[in-house]
Amino acid sequence: MRALVIGGAGFIGSHLCDSLLELGHKVGCLDNFSLGTKENIKHLSERKDFILYEADASERKKLRGVFQDFHPDYVFHLAANSDIQASAVNPDVEYRNTYTTTFEILSAMRECGVKKMFFASTSAVYGDKRDIELDENTPGLAPISYYGAAKLGSEGLISAFSYMNDIQSLVFRFPNVIGSRLTHGVIYDFIERLKKEPEHLRILGDGKQTKPYIYVLDLVRAVIQFMETGNQGVTLYNIGVEGDTSVTRIADTICKEMGLKDVSYEYTGGEGGWKGDVPRFRYCLDKIHEAGWKAEYSSDEAVRKTVQEVLKES
């Protein structure tokens, strides 16, 4: 199979490229390197079954050129702004990097006759529904961040394009993804802060924000397992892990792994870390569990493993 991974130099995308190549597929990696890094895919640069395209998926002409050159059988769409705090400052980031990329990718698929895709969506599409268990049929989706809104709008585009063009689309809504090659997020940020100031850590919010954290290779394994849906239209799954982890527990884990004692925590206060942050939510995973997938690592295990990997990398 010829697999085009859009956002393939990013944190999740680079791991997906690795797995697809291990399965014997030819991989095209498209990235504009706004968040992805060449370091993430450096180990693939000499492979004959790997092609790197440095381009922006929101730019129609360049994207069409990649499709015409690579002739993909399957598109894995991971291009998005994953730094939610950055788009809180400038919503244009989401419109271009998350919503526009989706429209242009789907348009290119339509024009080139590509019939299979995977889309990385998010728990943020549900909005702040902390008091109910969220399943794939939860009504009244009402995102409270620009990121969540752009992802929900992208889901709408995928639904329409899939119906109108007989496309098989797999959509995963997942929570925080962590693991090696992180470039931002709470674990990365805390480690960087503690390197500079090992006796003090500033924590956004009250530290009680509690969410499930999924290990990146668990997520990639699920993408590979379910990528051939066999059904026209959208196949949707919530994907997540057993348990959840508070921000303060993440800080404790990092301090322990770094060998730091008596670190003073300074909380900025408030339930959310920033405007648009959902401080807690509960996922129903019955559908994907019944389909035969479960995460290997719990949330706390994923956090500890990620801390160890990020410290080793840095």
Side-chain angles (χ1 to χ4, degrees):
M1 182 182 73
R2 301 175 69 85
L4 180 60
V5 183
I6 302 178
F11 161 53
I12 300 172
S14 61
H15 286 288
L16 180 58
C17 287
D18 290 342
S19 293
L20 289 167
L21 287 165
E22 287 175 10
L23 291 170
H25 302 302
K26 185 167 185 176
V27 173
C29 168
L30 185 152
D31 209 293
N32 67 357
F33 296 103
S34 60
L35 288 172
T37 69
K38 292 186 178 179
E39 183 69 23
N40 285 344
I41 53 172
K42 182 175 67 174
H43 61 291
L44 304 176
S45 60
E46 300 300 320
R47 295 188 62 141
K48 294 181 180 179
D49 50 0
F50 178 81
I51 302 175
L52 173 63
Y53 297 97
E54 187 167 351
D56 193 317
S58 68
E59 296 179 6
R60 178 167 298 191
K61 186 176 180 180
K62 290 183 179 180
L63 184 63
R64 296 300 190 279
V66 172
F67 270 74
Q68 290 163 6
D69 180 73
F70 187 69
H71 303 290
D73 301 306
Y74 201 118
V75 171
F76 295 85
H77 175 14
L78 295 99
N81 169 58
S82 57
D83 189 346
I84 302 176
Q85 293 186 60
S87 67
V89 177
N90 180 14
D92 288 353
V93 173
E94 294 299 349
Y95 179 70
R96 178 183 175 86
N97 293 353
T98 305
Y99 186 78
T100 303
T101 55
T102 302
F103 180 82
E104 294 300 340
I105 290 166
L106 289 164
S107 297
M109 289 178 64
R110 174 178 174 270
E111 290 180 17
C112 298
V114 183
K115 297 297 184 182
K116 296 179 181 179
M117 79 171 301
F118 165 78
F119 176 64
S121 191
T122 171
S123 58
V125 301
Y126 292 105
D128 191 352
K129 291 183 169 60
R130 65 188 77 178
D131 297 321
I132 63 174
E133 189 175 52
L134 304 172
D135 64 27
E136 291 83 353
N137 297 312
T138 296
L141 303 183
I144 62 170
S145 65
Y146 302 126
Y147 171 74
K151 286 288 190 179
L152 183 57
S154 294
E155 284 193 22
L157 288 173
I158 291 167
S159 177
F161 271 83
S162 297
Y163 179 84
M164 295 296 292
N165 300 283
D166 299 325
I167 295 173
Q168 298 178 18
S169 298
L170 173 66
V171 176
F172 280 174
R173 291 174 179 165
F174 45 77
N176 301 60
V177 186
I178 55 176
S180 64
R181 305 177 191 167
L182 275 179
T183 58
H184 60 276
V186 62
I187 292 175
Y188 181 88
D189 291 346
F190 281 3
I191 289 174
E192 291 302 307
R193 291 177 199 172
L194 286 167
K195 283 181 187 176
K196 296 174 182 176
E197 195 174 356
E199 297 179 353
H200 171 263
L201 179 63
R202 180 173 177 266
I203 299 176
L204 300 180
D206 58 12
K208 297 178 182 178
Q209 307 97 301
T210 303
K211 303 172 186 179
Y213 291 82
I214 183 171
Y215 187 62
V216 63
L217 294 185
D218 273 338
L219 172 61
V220 168
R221 179 168 55 86
V223 174
I224 299 296
Q225 181 174 339
F226 292 102
M227 67 182 190
E228 295 290 348
T229 68
N231 298 312
Q232 291 179 0
V234 176
T235 301
L236 172 67
Y237 290 103
N238 280 351
I239 181 167
V241 299
E242 300 295 337
D244 47 32
T245 309
S246 72
V247 171
T248 295
R249 192 149 74 243
I250 290 173
D252 291 342
T253 300
I254 293 171
C255 290
K256 181 178 180 181
E257 293 294 333
M258 293 180 73
L260 301 176
K261 298 180 180 179
D262 301 321
V263 178
S264 65
Y265 295 166
E266 175 198 348
Y267 297 100
T268 62
E271 283 189 299
W274 56 88
K275 197 170 183 66
D277 181 29
V278 178
R280 63 181 182 274
F281 62 90
R282 292 183 295 123
Y283 246 10
C284 176
L285 300 173
D286 290 350
K287 183 177 178 181
I288 199 162
H289 286 173
E290 290 168 3
W293 176 91
K294 274 195 172 184
E296 179 180 351
Y297 298 99
S298 69
S299 182
D300 283 351
E301 289 169 343
V303 167
R304 185 173 298 105
K305 184 173 177 62
T306 298
V307 171
Q308 293 168 349
E309 291 175 344
V310 172
L311 287 172
K312 184 178 180 180
E313 288 170 347
S314 63

